[in-house]
């Protein structure tokens, strides 16, 4: 669930609008990522948030597919795609993730799309599937996505370990994701998502606005102007010292002064 707060800067876009790709440059997601990476050195926070958005999109597409195939009713979706009712209907007990040989599932109690074809129809060729069915993420895709979040951000010494996330919250996530039958629903990450949104709202977004709205110059532009200023100052000092050492009188007639 995303947190939406009133923008304290008037007509400027909110962080939620930037993360939802509803804004234009210079206050856009691309520039926000550049600032998070190059200036604030905390791109892992935004990377995790965006990867989690992708995971939520996979879950939404999966739930819609289950609804089209009759495994979920309209009343199940009345409270949203991540409601406890939907979670209960799509419980992991129907989708074994372990490598052990599972017992023969009952097609009546198991969603058709997640059973092995030989257990339901005997021989079901992939050519018989429609393009829409092929593009629907499976429960294994969801599990792989959640495991990528674990291995990339949450385990110790990960490639983009989230040091900004409290240790207690990371440990609770690892505990759930490292179980033999781990959860893969986005609701598991809701507390982490809310915490990191608040973190970016207070620690990163105000600095981003100062750089892109009020400053509106890049780091290289700042360095370029600094170098030009220092070179101009050096040239002025060099010229003045040269005139002194060459013996020019300090109060001589300047070239811009005319005698009338």
């Amino acid at each position: 669930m995303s947190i939406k707060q009133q923008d304290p800067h008037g007509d400027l876009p909110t962080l939620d609008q930037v993360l939802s790709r509803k804004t234009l440059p210079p206050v856009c997601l691309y520039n926000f990522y550049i600032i998070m990476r190059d200036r604030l050195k905390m791109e892992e926070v935004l990377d995790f948030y965006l990867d989690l958005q992708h995971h939520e999109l996979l879950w939404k597409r999966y739930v819609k597919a289950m609804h089209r195939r009759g495994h979920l009713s309209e009343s199940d979706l009345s409270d949203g795609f991540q409601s406890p009712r939907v979670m209960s209907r799509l419980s992991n007990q129907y989708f074994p993730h372990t490598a052990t040989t599972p017992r023969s599932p009952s097609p009546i109690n198991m969603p058709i799309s997640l059973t092995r074809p030989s257990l339901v129809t005997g021989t079901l060729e992939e050519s018989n599937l429609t393009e829409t069915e092929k593009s629907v993420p499976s429960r294994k895709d969801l599990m792989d996505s959640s495991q990528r979040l674990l291995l990339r951000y949450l385990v110790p010494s990960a490639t983009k370990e989230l040091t900004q996330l409290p240790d207690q919250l990371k440990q609770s996530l690892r505990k759930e994701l490292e179980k033999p039958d781990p959860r893969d629903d986005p609701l598991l990450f809701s507390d982490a998502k809310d915490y990191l949104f608040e973190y970016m709202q207070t620690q990163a977004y105000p600095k981003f606005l100062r750089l892109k709205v009020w400053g509106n110059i890049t780091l290289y532009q700042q360095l370029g102007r600094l170098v030009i200023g220092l070179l101009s100052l050096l040239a002025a000092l060099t010229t003045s010292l040269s005139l002194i050492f060459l013996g020019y009188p300090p109060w001589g007639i300047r070239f811009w002064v005319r005698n009338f």
Side-chain angles (χ1 to χ4, degrees):
M1 152 191 329
S2 62
I3 301 176
K4 298 182 180 179
Q5 296 184 351
Q6 186 176 2
D7 179 25
H9 304 289
D11 296 333
L12 295 177
T14 63
L15 176 59
D16 184 74
Q17 291 173 333
V18 171
L19 295 175
S20 302
R21 300 174 174 86
K22 297 179 180 179
T23 58
L24 298 175
V27 186
C28 60
L29 182 60
Y30 174 78
N31 286 332
F32 186 46
Y33 185 86
I34 295 300
I35 295 298
M36 292 282 284
R37 184 190 65 186
D38 297 341
R39 301 297 295 271
L40 305 180
K41 308 300 182 183
M42 57 174 71
E43 73 273 11
E44 65 275 4
V45 176
L46 186 54
D47 281 335
F48 177 81
Y49 196 93
L50 296 178
D51 285 348
L52 189 52
Q53 282 186 335
H54 176 71
H55 184 70
E56 291 175 343
L57 180 61
L58 286 178
W59 175 265
K60 186 175 181 180
R61 290 170 54 197
Y62 173 75
V63 171
K64 286 183 176 180
M66 293 298 100
H67 175 251
R68 288 195 302 267
R69 295 170 184 175
H71 302 295
L72 293 172
S73 62
E74 289 291 343
S75 59
D76 293 332
L77 301 179
S78 58
D79 295 330
F81 293 96
Q82 300 181 33
S83 65
R85 187 170 184 176
V86 172
M87 302 299 178
S88 177
R89 293 294 301 273
L90 301 179
S91 174
N92 279 0
Q93 63 180 326
Y94 298 119
F95 315 98
H97 299 309
T98 58
T100 58
T101 303
R103 295 176 299 175
S104 298
S106 172
I108 298 177
N109 298 326
M110 192 173 187
I112 296 176
S113 63
L114 299 171
T115 57
R116 294 177 58 187
S118 59
L119 297 176
V120 181
T121 58
T123 57
L124 176 61
E125 298 296 332
E126 186 176 353
S127 59
N128 294 331
L129 298 176
T130 64
E131 291 298 326
T132 302
E133 290 173 332
K134 290 180 183 179
S135 63
V136 170
S138 65
R139 200 59 185 260
K140 185 180 183 302
D141 295 330
L142 290 169
M143 185 193 70
D144 292 342
S145 177
S146 62
Q147 290 300 308
R148 279 194 298 269
L149 292 173
L150 168 66
L151 298 177
R152 192 179 187 190
Y153 301 103
L154 301 176
V155 298
S157 301
T159 55
K160 292 191 175 184
E161 183 180 1
L162 280 173
T163 57
Q164 298 82 1
L165 207 60
D167 291 336
Q168 184 178 2
L169 186 53
K170 286 196 292 186
Q171 291 173 3
S172 63
L173 287 173
R174 289 201 303 265
K175 183 179 179 181
E176 290 291 335
L177 293 170
E178 291 175 351
K179 288 181 177 179
D181 191 18
R183 289 177 57 183
D184 55 13
D185 55 273
L187 194 60
L188 173 65
F189 301 95
S190 60
D191 291 339
K193 183 181 180 183
D194 293 344
Y195 181 89
L196 293 178
F197 185 93
E198 287 290 341
Y199 184 86
M200 290 189 290
Q201 181 80 28
T202 57
Q203 301 296 325
Y205 195 61
K207 298 177 182 178
F208 166 69
L209 290 179
R210 283 198 297 269
L211 290 170
K212 282 299 177 183
V213 177
W214 295 292
N216 202 22
I217 57 176
T218 65
L219 177 61
Y220 298 106
Q221 291 173 336
Q222 294 177 9
L223 294 176
R225 295 180 184 189
L226 178 61
V227 170
I228 292 175
L230 292 176
L231 290 177
S232 301
L233 179 60
L234 179 61
L237 291 175
T238 302
T239 303
S240 62
L241 290 174
S242 299
L243 293 175
I244 291 173
F245 291 138
L246 291 174
Y248 284 89
W251 299 108
I253 298 177
R254 303 297 190 265
F255 71 89
W256 60 83
V257 178
R258 290 184 178 182
N259 293 326
F260 295 97

